[in-house]
Amino acid sequence: MDSKTLSLYFSLFNEIGIIEQLSRTLFESQLPDGFLMSHFSVLNHLIRVQDGQTPLKLAQAFQLPKTTMTHTLSVLEKHGLIEMRPNPKDGRSKCVWLTTKGQDFRNEAIEKLAPFLATLAEQFPPEAVNQLVPGLTEIRQFMDKQRD
Amino acid sequence: MDSKTLSLYFSLFNEIGIIEQLSRTLFESQLPDGFLMSHFSVLNHLIRVQDGQTPLKLAQAFQLPKTTMTHTLSVLEKHGLIEMRPNPKDGRSKCVWLTTKGQDFRNEAIEKLAPFLATLAEQFPPEAVNQLVPGLTEIRQFMDKQRD
DNA sequence: TGTTTTTAGTGCGATATCGTACTATACAGT
DNA sequence: ACTGTATAGTACGATATCGCACTAAAAACA
C-alpha cells in the first residue's frame, strides 16, 4: 500500500476520531453536571433498542470492555437512573432496567440536544446522513469481524 | 424534529462512536505495551503534518483539552519519542519535535497496521473512502463552528 | 453424575482524560 | 512605559477507562 493511500485511510479514522471528540464534548455540555456521554449513551440505548438487557449485551453494543460497562452501570444505578435485577434465565447474569427517573433524564437530555441537531440538519439534511451511514456501518461490520 | 429523524442522527454519532472504539482497540493492540492511540496519533500527526508545532496547536488539531495534550506529551517525552524546546517566537510557548526514536516508533506502528488496512482496503477500496470523507469533514467543520 | 471448560460479572491497580485554578508571558489601549 | 486583558502551558484532584485476575454459575462432556 503506497503512502498516499495509507494516508487516506488514516485521515478517515482521524476524521472519525475528531467527530467523536467534538460530539462528545458538545453532548456533555448539555448534560447535568457530573454526567458524561457514556452515561447518556446507555440510557438512550435502553430506550431506543430494548429495556432489560444484560450488562454484557450493552458492552457489546458499544464495543466496550465489560469492566467499563460495569463501572458505568454502577454510576447510573447509584443515581437511581437504572435498576439492576437478577437475570431469571441465568444465575450469573443481571438485567438492566430503566427507572422513571432514568427515562426522564434521557428525555430531558434529548430535548436539550434537539436544537443542535436541528441546526445540523439544516446544513446536513437527513438524506445526506442516509447516504453516509451505510458506509460507516460497512466499516464497522468489517472491523467487528477483524477483532479475533 | 420527529423522533425518527432524531433517531437517524443519533445512529450517525453512535456508529461513529463505535468505529472510534473499534479502531482504537485494534490500533492499540498493535502498539508496544503501555502505549495508546493518543500517543501514536500525536507522533503520526507530527510526521504527516508538521514537526515543531506547539502543544496548543496539537490540542486543537485533535480537539482535545490543552491539559490532556500536556499529559500525552509528557509521556512521549519521558520515553524519548519527542523533544520539547522553548518557542523562540513566544516565551510562554514550546515547540514539539520528533526524535529519531519517535520516528522509528511511528514507522514500526505503521508497518504493523498496514496488513489490517490492506485487508480493509480490499473490502472498502480507496474510492469508497474518498466518497465518505468529504461528508465527515463537512460534519466536523459544522461542529467546529458550533462550539462557542 | 462428576469433571472440565466456558462465560457473566466484579475487584483492583494503573493510567488517561478532563475541569478548575494558577503562573508567566504576550498583547492592547492609554 | 503602564495597566489591564488575553493567552500558553501546567499542577492538581476527580472520575473514566482499561487490563488482569478472580468468583460463581452455566454448559459441555465423559
Side-chain angles (χ1 to χ4, degrees), chain A residues 1 5-27 37 40 44-45 48 61-65 110 113-114 116-127 129-133 135-140 142-147, chain B residues 1 5-27 37 40 44-45 48 61-65 110 113-114 116-127 129-133 135-140 142-147:
Chain A
M1 182 178 286
T5 307
L6 207 63
S7 206
L8 174 66
Y9 282 88
F10 273 115
S11 73
L12 170 68
F13 290 111
N14 191 45
E15 205 70 80
I16 286 175
I18 293 175
I19 293 177
E20 192 277 337
Q21 174 72 25
L22 281 166
S23 64
R24 193 157 46 77
T25 305
L26 223 155
F27 281 30
M37 186 70 158
F40 169 77
N44 198 36
H45 186 85
R48 282 207 312 147
F62 296 103
Q63 294 295 340
L64 291 168
I110 295 271
L113 291 171
F116 160 73
L117 290 175
T119 315
L120 173 60
E122 280 172 27
Q123 165 149 355
F124 210 82
E127 306 85 59
V129 178
N130 270 317
Q131 209 177 354
L132 213 54
V133 171
L136 294 174
T137 303
E138 197 178 337
I139 292 177
R140 172 179 56 79
F142 168 78
M143 301 188 67
D144 233 349
K145 270 185 288 182
Q146 284 305 109
R147 65 172 171 79
Chain B
M1 180 177 288
T5 307
L6 207 65
S7 205
L8 174 66
Y9 282 87
F10 274 116
S11 74
L12 169 68
F13 290 111
N14 190 45
E15 205 70 82
I16 286 175
I18 293 175
I19 293 176
E20 192 278 338
Q21 174 71 26
L22 281 166
S23 66
R24 193 159 45 78
T25 306
L26 223 155
F27 281 31
M37 186 70 158
F40 169 77
N44 198 36
H45 186 85
R48 281 209 311 149
F62 296 103
Q63 294 295 341
L64 290 168
I110 295 271
L113 292 171
F116 160 73
L117 291 175
T119 315
L120 173 60
E122 282 172 25
Q123 165 150 355
F124 209 82
E127 306 86 59
V129 178
N130 270 317
Q131 209 177 353
L132 212 54
V133 170
L136 293 174
T137 303
E138 198 179 335
I139 292 177
R140 172 178 56 79
F142 168 78
M143 302 188 67
D144 232 349
K145 270 184 289 181
Q146 286 304 110
R147 65 173 174 77

Side-chain angles (χ1 to χ4, degrees), chain A residues 60-126:
Chain A
Q60 289 170 340
F62 296 103
Q63 294 295 340
L64 291 168
K66 288 187 300 178
T67 174
T68 301
M69 188 51 64
T70 296
H71 178 74
T72 303
L73 292 175
S74 78
V75 171
L76 292 175
E77 191 178 31
K78 190 167 53 191
H79 286 88
L81 303 176
I82 58 167
E83 268 183 34
M84 308 268 287
R85 304 190 204 142
N87 186 341
K89 294 181 183 168
D90 188 335
R92 299 167 297 181
S93 181
K94 304 195 175 163
C95 294
V96 181
W97 299 92
L98 275 168
T99 62
T100 306
K101 196 174 168 189
Q103 291 172 13
D104 292 347
F105 183 104
R106 182 265 185 180
N107 290 332
E108 282 164 27
I110 295 271
E111 273 180 39
K112 281 227 183 184
L113 291 171
F116 160 73
L117 290 175
T119 315
L120 173 60
E122 280 172 27
Q123 165 149 355
F124 210 82

